[in-house]
Amino acid sequence: MQYNEIMVRYGELSTKGKNKKKFINKLVQNVRFALYDFNQLNVTGERDRMHLELNGADSDLVLERLKSIFGIQNFSPVMRLERDIEKMKIVAVDMVQELYSEGKSFKITTRRADHEFSLDTDEINHLLGSEVLKNIDGIKVKMKNPDINIRVEIRNEGIFLSSQTILGAGGLPVGSSGKGMLMLSGGIDSPVAGYLTMKRGVEIEAVHFYSPPYTSSKSLQKAKDLTSKLAAFVGNIVFIEVPFTEIQEEIKRCVPEGYSMTVTRRMMLRITERIREKQNGLAIVNGESLGQVASQTLHSMLAINDVTSTPIIRPVVSMDKNEIIDLAQRIDTFELSIQPFEDCCTIFAPATPKTRPDLEKARRYEARLNIEELIQRVMDNLVFSEIKVGETSEIQQADKYSSLL
Ligand code: ATP
Ligand code: MG
């Protein structure tokens, strides 16, 4: 069937009261951005539905891209008709016919948003149902779990018929909840944390600490490739490289080994906070999972969190490793994350970091560093870039999103 539109249903957005318009506008903007290369598309956001007029664009390609846009509950390729009952009958029969094979059952489900329309929902269900029965030999009506369900929506904008409802990514439109700085390592957890935060409408910028020559350009590239994977949900993401070598060497020189991890994390958090201020962000996001390693015990979190009052979002804090891995596989970051490249934190990691660091001691040891000067030097040497979906590297060839740009 040659569909002429795609209809998008919002879900949770519909409950946003006064802000609803703002959310819908954001979503329209994100959808336009994700589909920017389909010149002929016309996207309009109405109160309850978004309409994508295809004007000849390939509906399969458009449907595929819509799947990763947050703020969409579900969507359907539809035939939009004028308010003409005869046309409605023809299209309904055609749609069923296309999906029908012997033994299959069907049902018509009508929603009427326009109460001025001459027929009510039951009348439309009956009218179209009997038309199908008349035209397709052997087909049966089934109310519960039919093989074919034709959804009919009678709206002010027109009449819409669809036979397929595709689950959207859910969540809220990215950017509708402000911006957060994602502390992105090359591991499994932080990309998942970034994904989950974007899902709730937060735009993210990726902050990555690296320590050349202790860490190689490949491990930096890996973090960029992970960012590119996350960009599949938004189009592009700002990536911020933080040169961390000098601070790590200073910590190694000045701080007792048991506390080097705690102090390192405190420095990372301080720097991320400075970057957040600079970039007008509202929160910091990380991939900490409670009890996973020494730096992620509650004692450690207390000693590390001490340096900032910025909200820290920890989307995977209560998840088990295998739950995180499941998500990483779903968003296609897992294979990249398990590639063995060194991370700045693991290289300098002490053999036995304290799982119960004492806050006062951490502060005292840290005072041996020239904190302000060290941070300022880092801030002066940040490297900003913008990473797009599908940007590939020698590590990550054959990216499945590469067709997107
Ligand atoms: P991940 O799988 O995300 O690397 P992890 O379980 O390996 O997490 P850690 O290495 O202890 O845990 O890091 C905890 C969190 O600290 C990470 O999830 C990430 O948010 C942040 N982090 C660690 N290393 C870096 C880095 N090099 N750059 C930016 N953030 C980092
Ligand atoms: Mg890690």
Side-chain angles (χ1 to χ4, degrees), residues 182-193 206-211 215 223 242 244 261 265 268 272 285-289 292-296 316 321 324 337 343-346:
L182 170 66
M183 298 178 70
L184 181 77
S185 66
I188 296 167
D189 307 325
S190 44
V192 172
V207 178
H208 179 70
F209 292 76
Y210 76 119
S211 299
T215 60
V242 185
F244 203 45
M261 186 271 300
R265 298 286 170 176
M268 288 169 83
T272 309
V285 182
N286 71 26
E288 286 174 342
S289 166
Q292 202 185 77
V293 289
S295 61
Q296 298 171 27
V316 303
K321 196 75 191 185
I324 302 173
S337 289
D343 184 71
C344 64
C345 295
T346 38

Side-chain angles (χ1 to χ4, degrees), residues 3-10 49-54 59-60 62-63 66-67 72-80 95 149-153 160-168:
Y3 297 103
N4 54 13
E5 279 202 9
I6 291 167
M7 176 188 271
V8 171
R9 304 180 186 86
Y10 303 137
R49 299 283 185 268
M50 185 186 299
H51 301 286
L52 281 70
E53 278 173 56
L54 288 167
S59 59
D60 287 343
V62 176
L63 292 171
L66 287 175
K67 284 182 191 162
I72 295 178
Q73 186 183 43
N74 62 49
F75 50 97
S76 302
V78 295
M79 284 301 291
R80 179 190 194 137
M95 270 190 181
N149 188 0
I150 304 296
R151 283 174 81 160
V152 181
E153 295 200 19
F160 302 85
L161 274 80
S162 63
S163 60
Q164 197 189 353
T165 302
I166 302 161
L167 208 59

Side-chain angles (χ1 to χ4, degrees), residues 43-158:
V43 182
T44 47
E46 307 282 346
R47 263 189 71 77
D48 300 307
R49 299 283 185 268
M50 185 186 299
H51 301 286
L52 281 70
E53 278 173 56
L54 288 167
N55 297 318
D58 183 333
S59 59
D60 287 343
L61 294 178
V62 176
L63 292 171
E64 199 49 44
R65 286 224 206 144
L66 287 175
K67 284 182 191 162
S68 54
I69 299 177
F70 293 121
I72 295 178
Q73 186 183 43
N74 62 49
F75 50 97
S76 302
V78 295
M79 284 301 291
R80 179 190 194 137
L81 313 173
E82 303 124 49
R83 304 156 151 275
D84 178 330
I85 291 173
E86 289 311 309
K87 281 207 181 119
M88 195 158 76
K89 285 187 194 166
I90 296 171
V91 174
V93 173
D94 279 357
M95 270 190 181
V96 178
Q97 193 104 55
E98 193 179 83
L99 298 168
Y100 180 68
S101 58
E102 209 185 312
K104 280 194 174 169
S105 57
F106 86 106
K107 158 186 183 184
I108 309 277
T109 312
T110 304
R111 268 182 74 125
R112 197 175 60 146
D114 169 15
H115 293 283
E116 311 274 275
F117 195 70
S118 56
L119 303 174
D120 70 17
T121 52
D122 281 345
E123 287 168 331
I124 298 167
N125 288 341
H126 275 113
L127 180 77
L128 299 181
S130 48
E131 196 66 19
V132 170
L133 288 168
K134 209 161 47 182
N135 284 280
I136 303 177
D137 278 347
I139 193 163
K140 290 202 171 54
V141 179
K142 195 170 161 212
M143 286 301 137
K144 231 174 145 184
N145 300 323
D147 301 308
I148 303 166
N149 188 0
I150 304 296
R151 283 174 81 160
V152 181
E153 295 200 19
I154 312 284
R155 315 190 62 81
N156 293 319
E157 309 98 83

Side-chain angles (χ1 to χ4, degrees), residues 291-305:
Q292 202 185 77
V293 289
S295 61
Q296 298 171 27
T297 62
L298 282 180
H299 287 89
S300 276
M301 283 188 196
L302 190 73
I304 295 164
N305 219 148

